[in-house]
Amino acid sequence: MAIILRLDRVMADRKMSLKELSERVGVSNVNLSKIKTGKISAIRFSTLDAICRTLECQPGDILEYWPDEQKTEENAPGE
């Protein structure tokens, strides 16, 4: 997938635990954990809005785009 989730990085920068974020955002630990680990295929804008509001960040701080070709070239063995 070309979208990389960086929620863990933003949470670490803010020194916020998954439990604390879950309580503030109103999303279950399980669902936030899936977002944090990138094991999701979609995220509601309302959830993204609540996360950004709580962490005082922009969506671009959490979501990163990597074209599949670029990811393949940079991760090629022996280069």
Side-chain angles (χ1 to χ4, degrees), residues 19-53:
K19 181 181 182 213
E20 183 180 355
L21 183 61
S22 171
E23 290 169 356
R24 289 186 181 193
V25 171
V27 175
S28 73
N29 270 349
V30 172
N31 287 339
L32 274 180
S33 180
K34 288 179 182 180
I35 294 170
K36 185 178 167 188
T37 59
K39 298 186 190 284
I40 61 167
S41 58
I43 184 169
R44 291 182 179 181
F45 281 139
S46 58
T47 301
L48 185 58
D49 175 68
I51 291 169
C52 289
R53 189 176 328 112

Side-chain angles (χ1 to χ4, degrees), residues 3-15:
I3 302 296
I4 309 297
L5 291 158
R6 301 289 187 202
L7 180 59
D8 55 344
R9 183 185 298 167
V10 178
M11 287 173 58
D13 290 346
R14 306 296 191 277
K15 295 178 176 46

